[in-house]
Structure formats: structure tokens, C-alpha cells
Amino acid sequence: DPKYPEAIFNLGLALRNLNRIDDALKAFRRAAALAPDSPQAQYALGMTLRDKGDAAGARLALDRAAALSRQNK
């Protein structure tokens, strides 16, 4: 289901493990959009952006992940 963020997140993980970074980024961006309160989606997005060489984008996503993680405690 294209509106199920957990499935899209898991797809992103699988794609990242296959080194399909661009496809993984699309999946993580979609998962983060569907579940904006998910620190896991933001973290995965940030780490994948880092792998892609987008330091600024990675920092933004990782900062969001940290903030969301603090809120969820």
C-alpha cells in the first residue's frame, strides 16, 4: 500500500542494503512525509543523504530525528 509508511520505510532499508541509494532516498522521503513524527524515517533519510554526499540535507534530517526522538520520550 503506497500510504503505509512502515512498508515504505522497510522498502527503503532493503533498497539501501542493495546499494540503490537514489531509490532508497525516494522511499525514505515518502515514509518521512507519510509519518512526519517518525524519528526512524528521519534518521534513515539523514544517513542515506550522508551516503549520497548531501551533508546539509543529512544534517537537517538528523537534527529532525534527534528532536523527534526527544519528543517521543
Side-chain angles (χ1 to χ4, degrees):
D1 185 345
K3 294 183 182 176
Y4 189 59
E6 289 85 3
I8 296 167
F9 175 78
N10 288 333
L11 174 62
L13 292 176
L15 291 166
R16 189 164 186 242
N17 287 337
L18 293 170
N19 239 5
R20 293 176 51 187
I21 301 300
D22 290 332
D23 292 329
L25 278 174
K26 289 177 191 174
F28 290 139
R29 283 186 174 121
R30 179 81 175 131
L34 290 171
D37 294 332
S38 169
Q40 295 86 358
Q42 289 296 330
Y43 179 79
L45 177 60
M47 295 305 289
T48 306
L49 286 166
R50 181 203 64 178
D51 291 348
K52 183 81 172 158
D54 181 354
R59 174 70 184 229
L60 184 62
L62 293 171
D63 285 348
R64 270 191 241 135
L68 288 168
S69 184
R70 285 190 296 274
Q71 288 176 2
N72 290 338
K73 286 188 177 186

PDB file of all heavy atoms in Angstrom, residues 16-57:
ATOM      1  N   ARG A  16      18.439   0.351   0.279  1.00  0.00           N
ATOM      2  CA  ARG A  16      19.743   0.840   0.753  1.00  0.00           C
ATOM      3  C   ARG A  16      20.719  -0.313   0.885  1.00  0.00           C
ATOM      4  O   ARG A  16      21.888  -0.197   0.532  1.00  0.00           O
ATOM      5  CB  ARG A  16      19.563   1.568   2.080  1.00  0.00           C
ATOM      6  CG  ARG A  16      20.815   2.282   2.520  1.00  0.00           C
ATOM      7  CD  ARG A  16      20.495   3.294   3.604  1.00  0.00           C
ATOM      8  NE  ARG A  16      21.700   4.046   3.890  1.00  0.00           N
ATOM      9  CZ  ARG A  16      22.304   4.060   5.070  1.00  0.00           C
ATOM     10  NH1 ARG A  16      21.798   3.389   6.065  1.00  0.00           N
ATOM     11  NH2 ARG A  16      23.388   4.750   5.239  1.00  0.00           N
ATOM     12  N   ASN A  17      20.251  -1.447   1.390  1.00  0.00           N
ATOM     13  CA  ASN A  17      21.105  -2.626   1.510  1.00  0.00           C
ATOM     14  C   ASN A  17      21.564  -3.140   0.161  1.00  0.00           C
ATOM     15  O   ASN A  17      22.621  -3.771   0.062  1.00  0.00           O
ATOM     16  CB  ASN A  17      20.396  -3.737   2.286  1.00  0.00           C
ATOM     17  CG  ASN A  17      20.313  -3.434   3.768  1.00  0.00           C
ATOM     18  OD1 ASN A  17      21.101  -2.668   4.302  1.00  0.00           O
ATOM     19  ND2 ASN A  17      19.338  -4.028   4.431  1.00  0.00           N
ATOM     20  N   LEU A  18      20.771  -2.882  -0.870  1.00  0.00           N
ATOM     21  CA  LEU A  18      21.145  -3.269  -2.232  1.00  0.00           C
ATOM     22  C   LEU A  18      21.981  -2.193  -2.926  1.00  0.00           C
ATOM     23  O   LEU A  18      22.287  -2.314  -4.103  1.00  0.00           O
ATOM     24  CB  LEU A  18      19.887  -3.551  -3.064  1.00  0.00           C
ATOM     25  CG  LEU A  18      19.080  -4.772  -2.647  1.00  0.00           C
ATOM     26  CD1 LEU A  18      17.747  -4.804  -3.377  1.00  0.00           C
ATOM     27  CD2 LEU A  18      19.870  -6.045  -2.918  1.00  0.00           C
ATOM     28  N   ASN A  19      22.322  -1.145  -2.186  1.00  0.00           N
ATOM     29  CA  ASN A  19      23.110  -0.027  -2.715  1.00  0.00           C
ATOM     30  C   ASN A  19      22.360   0.767  -3.784  1.00  0.00           C
ATOM     31  O   ASN A  19      22.988   1.429  -4.613  1.00  0.00           O
ATOM     32  CB  ASN A  19      24.453  -0.504  -3.257  1.00  0.00           C
ATOM     33  CG  ASN A  19      25.599   0.164  -2.550  1.00  0.00           C
ATOM     34  OD1 ASN A  19      25.407   0.909  -1.597  1.00  0.00           O
ATOM     35  ND2 ASN A  19      26.795  -0.107  -3.010  1.00  0.00           N
ATOM     36  N   ARG A  20      21.054   0.725  -3.752  1.00  0.00           N
ATOM     37  CA  ARG A  20      20.226   1.516  -4.663  1.00  0.00           C
ATOM     38  C   ARG A  20      19.850   2.800  -3.924  1.00  0.00           C
ATOM     39  O   ARG A  20      18.711   2.999  -3.511  1.00  0.00           O
ATOM     40  CB  ARG A  20      19.018   0.714  -5.108  1.00  0.00           C
ATOM     41  CG  ARG A  20      19.415  -0.468  -5.986  1.00  0.00           C
ATOM     42  CD  ARG A  20      18.268  -1.354  -6.369  1.00  0.00           C
ATOM     43  NE  ARG A  20      17.148  -0.618  -6.937  1.00  0.00           N
ATOM     44  CZ  ARG A  20      15.982  -1.183  -7.219  1.00  0.00           C
ATOM     45  NH1 ARG A  20      15.785  -2.464  -6.985  1.00  0.00           N
ATOM     46  NH2 ARG A  20      15.002  -0.459  -7.725  1.00  0.00           N
ATOM     47  N   ILE A  21      20.851   3.656  -3.761  1.00  0.00           N
ATOM     48  CA  ILE A  21      20.739   4.831  -2.902  1.00  0.00           C
ATOM     49  C   ILE A  21      19.649   5.789  -3.373  1.00  0.00           C
ATOM     50  O   ILE A  21      18.865   6.285  -2.562  1.00  0.00           O
ATOM     51  CB  ILE A  21      22.102   5.542  -2.785  1.00  0.00           C
ATOM     52  CG1 ILE A  21      23.157   4.591  -2.213  1.00  0.00           C
ATOM     53  CG2 ILE A  21      21.994   6.805  -1.947  1.00  0.00           C
ATOM     54  CD1 ILE A  21      22.853   4.039  -0.845  1.00  0.00           C
ATOM     55  N   ASP A  22      19.589   6.072  -4.656  1.00  0.00           N
ATOM     56  CA  ASP A  22      18.570   7.008  -5.157  1.00  0.00           C
ATOM     57  C   ASP A  22      17.158   6.489  -4.895  1.00  0.00           C
ATOM     58  O   ASP A  22      16.277   7.251  -4.486  1.00  0.00           O
ATOM     59  CB  ASP A  22      18.769   7.287  -6.644  1.00  0.00           C
ATOM     60  CG  ASP A  22      20.011   8.109  -6.927  1.00  0.00           C
ATOM     61  OD1 ASP A  22      20.428   8.894  -6.044  1.00  0.00           O
ATOM     62  OD2 ASP A  22      20.581   7.963  -8.019  1.00  0.00           O
ATOM     63  N   ASP A  23      16.949   5.197  -5.121  1.00  0.00           N
ATOM     64  CA  ASP A  23      15.629   4.617  -4.860  1.00  0.00           C
ATOM     65  C   ASP A  23      15.325   4.601  -3.366  1.00  0.00           C
ATOM     66  O   ASP A  23      14.189   4.834  -2.953  1.00  0.00           O
ATOM     67  CB  ASP A  23      15.555   3.200  -5.433  1.00  0.00           C
ATOM     68  CG  ASP A  23      15.595   3.181  -6.957  1.00  0.00           C
ATOM     69  OD1 ASP A  23      15.104   4.144  -7.585  1.00  0.00           O
ATOM     70  OD2 ASP A  23      16.106   2.206  -7.513  1.00  0.00           O
ATOM     71  N   ALA A  24      16.348   4.322  -2.555  1.00  0.00           N
ATOM     72  CA  ALA A  24      16.167   4.340  -1.102  1.00  0.00           C
ATOM     73  C   ALA A  24      15.785   5.741  -0.634  1.00  0.00           C
ATOM     74  O   ALA A  24      14.909   5.894   0.226  1.00  0.00           O
ATOM     75  CB  ALA A  24      17.433   3.866  -0.401  1.00  0.00           C
ATOM     76  N   LEU A  25      16.436   6.764  -1.188  1.00  0.00           N
ATOM     77  CA  LEU A  25      16.099   8.145  -0.822  1.00  0.00           C
ATOM     78  C   LEU A  25      14.640   8.458  -1.119  1.00  0.00           C
ATOM     79  O   LEU A  25      13.948   9.078  -0.300  1.00  0.00           O
ATOM     80  CB  LEU A  25      16.995   9.130  -1.568  1.00  0.00           C
ATOM     81  CG  LEU A  25      18.361   9.381  -0.979  1.00  0.00           C
ATOM     82  CD1 LEU A  25      19.186  10.257  -1.903  1.00  0.00           C
ATOM     83  CD2 LEU A  25      18.255   9.998   0.394  1.00  0.00           C
ATOM     84  N   LYS A  26      14.163   8.026  -2.265  1.00  0.00           N
ATOM     85  CA  LYS A  26      12.757   8.260  -2.608  1.00  0.00           C
ATOM     86  C   LYS A  26      11.842   7.599  -1.584  1.00  0.00           C
ATOM     87  O   LYS A  26      10.850   8.192  -1.144  1.00  0.00           O
ATOM     88  CB  LYS A  26      12.454   7.720  -4.010  1.00  0.00           C
ATOM     89  CG  LYS A  26      13.075   8.521  -5.115  1.00  0.00           C
ATOM     90  CD  LYS A  26      12.784   7.878  -6.464  1.00  0.00           C
ATOM     91  CE  LYS A  26      13.613   8.523  -7.548  1.00  0.00           C
ATOM     92  NZ  LYS A  26      13.479   7.844  -8.836  1.00  0.00           N
ATOM     93  N   ALA A  27      12.172   6.369  -1.210  1.00  0.00           N
ATOM     94  CA  ALA A  27      11.340   5.653  -0.250  1.00  0.00           C
ATOM     95  C   ALA A  27      11.387   6.330   1.119  1.00  0.00           C
ATOM     96  O   ALA A  27      10.342   6.510   1.761  1.00  0.00           O
ATOM     97  CB  ALA A  27      11.804   4.195  -0.149  1.00  0.00           C
ATOM     98  N   PHE A  28      12.568   6.708   1.579  1.00  0.00           N
ATOM     99  CA  PHE A  28      12.669   7.349   2.890  1.00  0.00           C
ATOM    100  C   PHE A  28      11.998   8.721   2.902  1.00  0.00           C
ATOM    101  O   PHE A  28      11.376   9.096   3.895  1.00  0.00           O
ATOM    102  CB  PHE A  28      14.129   7.470   3.332  1.00  0.00           C
ATOM    103  CG  PHE A  28      14.769   6.152   3.675  1.00  0.00           C
ATOM    104  CD1 PHE A  28      16.064   5.880   3.281  1.00  0.00           C
ATOM    105  CD2 PHE A  28      14.090   5.187   4.398  1.00  0.00           C
ATOM    106  CE1 PHE A  28      16.670   4.669   3.605  1.00  0.00           C
ATOM    107  CE2 PHE A  28      14.680   3.972   4.729  1.00  0.00           C
ATOM    108  CZ  PHE A  28      15.980   3.716   4.330  1.00  0.00           C
ATOM    109  N   ARG A  29      12.100   9.454   1.811  1.00  0.00           N
ATOM    110  CA  ARG A  29      11.401  10.751   1.736  1.00  0.00           C
ATOM    111  C   ARG A  29       9.889  10.549   1.817  1.00  0.00           C
ATOM    112  O   ARG A  29       9.183  11.300   2.494  1.00  0.00           O
ATOM    113  CB  ARG A  29      11.788  11.489   0.462  1.00  0.00           C
ATOM    114  CG  ARG A  29      13.141  12.125   0.541  1.00  0.00           C
ATOM    115  CD  ARG A  29      13.433  12.976  -0.698  1.00  0.00           C
ATOM    116  NE  ARG A  29      14.679  13.688  -0.522  1.00  0.00           N
ATOM    117  CZ  ARG A  29      15.738  13.576  -1.314  1.00  0.00           C
ATOM    118  NH1 ARG A  29      15.690  12.795  -2.374  1.00  0.00           N
ATOM    119  NH2 ARG A  29      16.838  14.256  -1.076  1.00  0.00           N
ATOM    120  N   ARG A  30       9.409   9.535   1.124  1.00  0.00           N
ATOM    121  CA  ARG A  30       7.971   9.240   1.141  1.00  0.00           C
ATOM    122  C   ARG A  30       7.537   8.794   2.540  1.00  0.00           C
ATOM    123  O   ARG A  30       6.510   9.242   3.061  1.00  0.00           O
ATOM    124  CB  ARG A  30       7.664   8.159   0.104  1.00  0.00           C
ATOM    125  CG  ARG A  30       6.227   7.743   0.035  1.00  0.00           C
ATOM    126  CD  ARG A  30       5.410   8.711  -0.780  1.00  0.00           C
ATOM    127  NE  ARG A  30       4.064   8.188  -0.909  1.00  0.00           N
ATOM    128  CZ  ARG A  30       2.976   8.893  -0.675  1.00  0.00           C
ATOM    129  NH1 ARG A  30       3.082  10.166  -0.364  1.00  0.00           N
ATOM    130  NH2 ARG A  30       1.794   8.356  -0.785  1.00  0.00           N
ATOM    131  N   ALA A  31       8.327   7.914   3.161  1.00  0.00           N
ATOM    132  CA  ALA A  31       7.995   7.444   4.514  1.00  0.00           C
ATOM    133  C   ALA A  31       7.983   8.610   5.496  1.00  0.00           C
ATOM    134  O   ALA A  31       7.091   8.708   6.344  1.00  0.00           O
ATOM    135  CB  ALA A  31       8.989   6.379   4.958  1.00  0.00           C
ATOM    136  N   ALA A  32       8.960   9.516   5.382  1.00  0.00           N
ATOM    137  CA  ALA A  32       9.030  10.673   6.271  1.00  0.00           C
ATOM    138  C   ALA A  32       7.838  11.608   6.042  1.00  0.00           C
ATOM    139  O   ALA A  32       7.321  12.202   6.992  1.00  0.00           O
ATOM    140  CB  ALA A  32      10.346  11.414   6.083  1.00  0.00           C
ATOM    141  N   ALA A  33       7.400  11.734   4.806  1.00  0.00           N
ATOM    142  CA  ALA A  33       6.242  12.587   4.512  1.00  0.00           C
ATOM    143  C   ALA A  33       4.962  11.977   5.078  1.00  0.00           C
ATOM    144  O   ALA A  33       4.094  12.702   5.575  1.00  0.00           O
ATOM    145  CB  ALA A  33       6.115  12.800   3.007  1.00  0.00           C
ATOM    146  N   LEU A  34       4.841  10.657   4.996  1.00  0.00           N
ATOM    147  CA  LEU A  34       3.644   9.992   5.494  1.00  0.00           C
ATOM    148  C   LEU A  34       3.631   9.867   7.011  1.00  0.00           C
ATOM    149  O   LEU A  34       2.565   9.767   7.619  1.00  0.00           O
ATOM    150  CB  LEU A  34       3.518   8.598   4.871  1.00  0.00           C
ATOM    151  CG  LEU A  34       3.174   8.570   3.386  1.00  0.00           C
ATOM    152  CD1 LEU A  34       3.288   7.151   2.842  1.00  0.00           C
ATOM    153  CD2 LEU A  34       1.774   9.121   3.145  1.00  0.00           C
ATOM    154  N   ALA A  35       4.822   9.835   7.609  1.00  0.00           N
ATOM    155  CA  ALA A  35       4.932   9.715   9.065  1.00  0.00           C
ATOM    156  C   ALA A  35       5.891  10.787   9.578  1.00  0.00           C
ATOM    157  O   ALA A  35       7.015  10.490   9.965  1.00  0.00           O
ATOM    158  CB  ALA A  35       5.418   8.319   9.437  1.00  0.00           C
ATOM    159  N   PRO A  36       5.451  12.046   9.568  1.00  0.00           N
ATOM    160  CA  PRO A  36       6.353  13.143   9.919  1.00  0.00           C
ATOM    161  C   PRO A  36       6.854  13.107  11.361  1.00  0.00           C
ATOM    162  O   PRO A  36       7.826  13.784  11.684  1.00  0.00           O
ATOM    163  CB  PRO A  36       5.516  14.392   9.651  1.00  0.00           C
ATOM    164  CG  PRO A  36       4.108  13.937   9.642  1.00  0.00           C
ATOM    165  CD  PRO A  36       4.116  12.505   9.216  1.00  0.00           C
ATOM    166  N   ASP A  37       6.232  12.318  12.227  1.00  0.00           N
ATOM    167  CA  ASP A  37       6.664  12.210  13.617  1.00  0.00           C
ATOM    168  C   ASP A  37       7.582  11.014  13.864  1.00  0.00           C
ATOM    169  O   ASP A  37       7.873  10.682  15.009  1.00  0.00           O
ATOM    170  CB  ASP A  37       5.455  12.114  14.548  1.00  0.00           C
ATOM    171  CG  ASP A  37       4.630  13.385  14.538  1.00  0.00           C
ATOM    172  OD1 ASP A  37       5.202  14.467  14.273  1.00  0.00           O
ATOM    173  OD2 ASP A  37       3.414  13.310  14.778  1.00  0.00           O
ATOM    174  N   SER A  38       8.053  10.378  12.794  1.00  0.00           N
ATOM    175  CA  SER A  38       8.886   9.186  12.921  1.00  0.00           C
ATOM    176  C   SER A  38      10.373   9.547  12.941  1.00  0.00           C
ATOM    177  O   SER A  38      10.935   9.929  11.909  1.00  0.00           O
ATOM    178  CB  SER A  38       8.625   8.224  11.765  1.00  0.00           C
ATOM    179  OG  SER A  38       9.597   7.202  11.749  1.00  0.00           O
ATOM    180  N   PRO A  39      11.024   9.402  14.104  1.00  0.00           N
ATOM    181  CA  PRO A  39      12.457   9.664  14.125  1.00  0.00           C
ATOM    182  C   PRO A  39      13.236   8.643  13.287  1.00  0.00           C
ATOM    183  O   PRO A  39      14.274   8.967  12.717  1.00  0.00           O
ATOM    184  CB  PRO A  39      12.836   9.582  15.603  1.00  0.00           C
ATOM    185  CG  PRO A  39      11.721   8.888  16.280  1.00  0.00           C
ATOM    186  CD  PRO A  39      10.503   9.073  15.425  1.00  0.00           C
ATOM    187  N   GLN A  40      12.722   7.419  13.192  1.00  0.00           N
ATOM    188  CA  GLN A  40      13.400   6.389  12.408  1.00  0.00           C
ATOM    189  C   GLN A  40      13.463   6.761  10.933  1.00  0.00           C
ATOM    190  O   GLN A  40      14.493   6.575  10.282  1.00  0.00           O
ATOM    191  CB  GLN A  40      12.712   5.028  12.577  1.00  0.00           C
ATOM    192  CG  GLN A  40      12.774   4.465  13.972  1.00  0.00           C
ATOM    193  CD  GLN A  40      11.652   4.971  14.878  1.00  0.00           C
ATOM    194  OE1 GLN A  40      10.822   5.795  14.495  1.00  0.00           O
ATOM    195  NE2 GLN A  40      11.645   4.481  16.106  1.00  0.00           N
ATOM    196  N   ALA A  41      12.365   7.275  10.404  1.00  0.00           N
ATOM    197  CA  ALA A  41      12.341   7.673   8.993  1.00  0.00           C
ATOM    198  C   ALA A  41      13.300   8.833   8.748  1.00  0.00           C
ATOM    199  O   ALA A  41      14.032   8.844   7.750  1.00  0.00           O
ATOM    200  CB  ALA A  41      10.925   8.038   8.558  1.00  0.00           C
ATOM    201  N   GLN A  42      13.316   9.793   9.657  1.00  0.00           N
ATOM    202  CA  GLN A  42      14.223  10.932   9.500  1.00  0.00           C
ATOM    203  C   GLN A  42      15.685  10.494   9.614  1.00  0.00           C
ATOM    204  O   GLN A  42      16.546  10.965   8.873  1.00  0.00           O
ATOM    205  CB  GLN A  42      13.921  12.007  10.548  1.00  0.00           C
ATOM    206  CG  GLN A  42      12.629  12.737  10.315  1.00  0.00           C
ATOM    207  CD  GLN A  42      12.624  13.543   9.026  1.00  0.00           C
ATOM    208  OE1 GLN A  42      13.645  14.025   8.563  1.00  0.00           O
ATOM    209  NE2 GLN A  42      11.459  13.687   8.442  1.00  0.00           N
ATOM    210  N   TYR A  43      15.956   9.577  10.545  1.00  0.00           N
ATOM    211  CA  TYR A  43      17.322   9.094  10.719  1.00  0.00           C
ATOM    212  C   TYR A  43      17.798   8.356   9.465  1.00  0.00           C
ATOM    213  O   TYR A  43      18.907   8.605   8.968  1.00  0.00           O
ATOM    214  CB  TYR A  43      17.410   8.173  11.941  1.00  0.00           C
ATOM    215  CG  TYR A  43      18.790   7.622  12.148  1.00  0.00           C
ATOM    216  CD1 TYR A  43      19.783   8.393  12.744  1.00  0.00           C
ATOM    217  CD2 TYR A  43      19.112   6.332  11.746  1.00  0.00           C
ATOM    218  CE1 TYR A  43      21.059   7.900  12.928  1.00  0.00           C
ATOM    219  CE2 TYR A  43      20.390   5.827  11.929  1.00  0.00           C
ATOM    220  CZ  TYR A  43      21.358   6.612  12.518  1.00  0.00           C
ATOM    221  OH  TYR A  43      22.622   6.111  12.688  1.00  0.00           O
ATOM    222  N   ALA A  44      16.961   7.460   8.957  1.00  0.00           N
ATOM    223  CA  ALA A  44      17.334   6.712   7.749  1.00  0.00           C
ATOM    224  C   ALA A  44      17.528   7.660   6.572  1.00  0.00           C
ATOM    225  O   ALA A  44      18.466   7.491   5.775  1.00  0.00           O
ATOM    226  CB  ALA A  44      16.271   5.668   7.430  1.00  0.00           C
ATOM    227  N   LEU A  45      16.662   8.648   6.454  1.00  0.00           N
ATOM    228  CA  LEU A  45      16.811   9.649   5.401  1.00  0.00           C
ATOM    229  C   LEU A  45      18.130  10.390   5.557  1.00  0.00           C
ATOM    230  O   LEU A  45      18.892  10.546   4.597  1.00  0.00           O
ATOM    231  CB  LEU A  45      15.635  10.628   5.437  1.00  0.00           C
ATOM    232  CG  LEU A  45      15.680  11.786   4.450  1.00  0.00           C
ATOM    233  CD1 LEU A  45      15.722  11.289   3.008  1.00  0.00           C
ATOM    234  CD2 LEU A  45      14.477  12.704   4.668  1.00  0.00           C
ATOM    235  N   GLY A  46      18.432  10.815   6.767  1.00  0.00           N
ATOM    236  CA  GLY A  46      19.670  11.546   7.011  1.00  0.00           C
ATOM    237  C   GLY A  46      20.914  10.733   6.694  1.00  0.00           C
ATOM    238  O   GLY A  46      21.848  11.232   6.067  1.00  0.00           O
ATOM    239  N   MET A  47      20.932   9.489   7.125  1.00  0.00           N
ATOM    240  CA  MET A  47      22.100   8.653   6.870  1.00  0.00           C
ATOM    241  C   MET A  47      22.266   8.361   5.380  1.00  0.00           C
ATOM    242  O   MET A  47      23.378   8.303   4.858  1.00  0.00           O
ATOM    243  CB  MET A  47      22.000   7.345   7.663  1.00  0.00           C
ATOM    244  CG  MET A  47      22.035   7.557   9.167  1.00  0.00           C
ATOM    245  SD  MET A  47      23.493   8.482   9.746  1.00  0.00           S
ATOM    246  CE  MET A  47      24.761   7.263   9.507  1.00  0.00           C
ATOM    247  N   THR A  48      21.161   8.217   4.676  1.00  0.00           N
ATOM    248  CA  THR A  48      21.230   7.951   3.245  1.00  0.00           C
ATOM    249  C   THR A  48      21.651   9.210   2.495  1.00  0.00           C
ATOM    250  O   THR A  48      22.432   9.132   1.536  1.00  0.00           O
ATOM    251  CB  THR A  48      19.880   7.404   2.737  1.00  0.00           C
ATOM    252  OG1 THR A  48      19.530   6.269   3.535  1.00  0.00           O
ATOM    253  CG2 THR A  48      19.967   6.973   1.284  1.00  0.00           C
ATOM    254  N   LEU A  49      21.178  10.366   2.924  1.00  0.00           N
ATOM    255  CA  LEU A  49      21.643  11.623   2.329  1.00  0.00           C
ATOM    256  C   LEU A  49      23.141  11.803   2.558  1.00  0.00           C
ATOM    257  O   LEU A  49      23.864  12.248   1.666  1.00  0.00           O
ATOM    258  CB  LEU A  49      20.862  12.806   2.904  1.00  0.00           C
ATOM    259  CG  LEU A  49      19.441  12.960   2.401  1.00  0.00           C
ATOM    260  CD1 LEU A  49      18.670  13.939   3.280  1.00  0.00           C
ATOM    261  CD2 LEU A  49      19.421  13.408   0.948  1.00  0.00           C
ATOM    262  N   ARG A  50      23.599  11.413   3.740  1.00  0.00           N
ATOM    263  CA  ARG A  50      25.032  11.481   4.025  1.00  0.00           C
ATOM    264  C   ARG A  50      25.811  10.593   3.060  1.00  0.00           C
ATOM    265  O   ARG A  50      26.821  11.003   2.491  1.00  0.00           O
ATOM    266  CB  ARG A  50      25.301  11.037   5.459  1.00  0.00           C
ATOM    267  CG  ARG A  50      26.776  11.109   5.839  1.00  0.00           C
ATOM    268  CD  ARG A  50      27.121  10.204   6.960  1.00  0.00           C
ATOM    269  NE  ARG A  50      26.904   8.826   6.524  1.00  0.00           N
ATOM    270  CZ  ARG A  50      27.149   7.768   7.265  1.00  0.00           C
ATOM    271  NH1 ARG A  50      27.590   7.918   8.485  1.00  0.00           N
ATOM    272  NH2 ARG A  50      26.937   6.561   6.813  1.00  0.00           N
ATOM    273  N   ASP A  51      25.309   9.377   2.850  1.00  0.00           N
ATOM    274  CA  ASP A  51      25.963   8.458   1.924  1.00  0.00           C
ATOM    275  C   ASP A  51      25.986   9.014   0.503  1.00  0.00           C
ATOM    276  O   ASP A  51      26.905   8.739  -0.260  1.00  0.00           O
ATOM    277  CB  ASP A  51      25.264   7.103   1.914  1.00  0.00           C
ATOM    278  CG  ASP A  51      25.449   6.344   3.215  1.00  0.00           C
ATOM    279  OD1 ASP A  51      26.307   6.747   4.039  1.00  0.00           O
ATOM    280  OD2 ASP A  51      24.726   5.350   3.416  1.00  0.00           O
ATOM    281  N   LYS A  52      24.997   9.794   0.176  1.00  0.00           N
ATOM    282  CA  LYS A  52      24.881  10.399  -1.159  1.00  0.00           C
ATOM    283  C   LYS A  52      25.784  11.634  -1.296  1.00  0.00           C
ATOM    284  O   LYS A  52      26.032  12.101  -2.390  1.00  0.00           O
ATOM    285  CB  LYS A  52      23.413  10.766  -1.405  1.00  0.00           C
ATOM    286  CG  LYS A  52      23.084  11.330  -2.730  1.00  0.00           C
ATOM    287  CD  LYS A  52      22.942  10.268  -3.767  1.00  0.00           C
ATOM    288  CE  LYS A  52      22.421  10.928  -5.036  1.00  0.00           C
ATOM    289  NZ  LYS A  52      22.714  10.161  -6.197  1.00  0.00           N
ATOM    290  N   GLY A  53      26.283  12.141  -0.165  1.00  0.00           N
ATOM    291  CA  GLY A  53      27.161  13.305  -0.196  1.00  0.00           C
ATOM    292  C   GLY A  53      26.462  14.617   0.071  1.00  0.00           C
ATOM    293  O   GLY A  53      27.048  15.681  -0.101  1.00  0.00           O
ATOM    294  N   ASP A  54      25.203  14.563   0.506  1.00  0.00           N
ATOM    295  CA  ASP A  54      24.433  15.771   0.799  1.00  0.00           C
ATOM    296  C   ASP A  54      24.534  16.065   2.297  1.00  0.00           C
ATOM    297  O   ASP A  54      23.655  15.689   3.086  1.00  0.00           O
ATOM    298  CB  ASP A  54      22.979  15.578   0.374  1.00  0.00           C
ATOM    299  CG  ASP A  54      22.105  16.792   0.617  1.00  0.00           C
ATOM    300  OD1 ASP A  54      22.583  17.782   1.229  1.00  0.00           O
ATOM    301  OD2 ASP A  54      20.932  16.759   0.215  1.00  0.00           O
ATOM    302  N   ALA A  55      25.631  16.707   2.695  1.00  0.00           N
ATOM    303  CA  ALA A  55      25.877  16.964   4.119  1.00  0.00           C
ATOM    304  C   ALA A  55      24.808  17.865   4.734  1.00  0.00           C
ATOM    305  O   ALA A  55      24.355  17.622   5.858  1.00  0.00           O
ATOM    306  CB  ALA A  55      27.262  17.574   4.316  1.00  0.00           C
ATOM    307  N   ALA A  56      24.396  18.896   4.018  1.00  0.00           N
ATOM    308  CA  ALA A  56      23.396  19.824   4.558  1.00  0.00           C
ATOM    309  C   ALA A  56      22.050  19.134   4.745  1.00  0.00           C
ATOM    310  O   ALA A  56      21.396  19.288   5.783  1.00  0.00           O
ATOM    311  CB  ALA A  56      23.255  21.037   3.646  1.00  0.00           C
ATOM    312  N   GLY A  57      21.627  18.368   3.755  1.00  0.00           N
ATOM    313  CA  GLY A  57      20.368  17.637   3.861  1.00  0.00           C
ATOM    314  C   GLY A  57      20.416  16.591   4.957  1.00  0.00           C
ATOM    315  O   GLY A  57      19.445  16.394   5.693  1.00  0.00           O
TER     316      GLY A  57
END
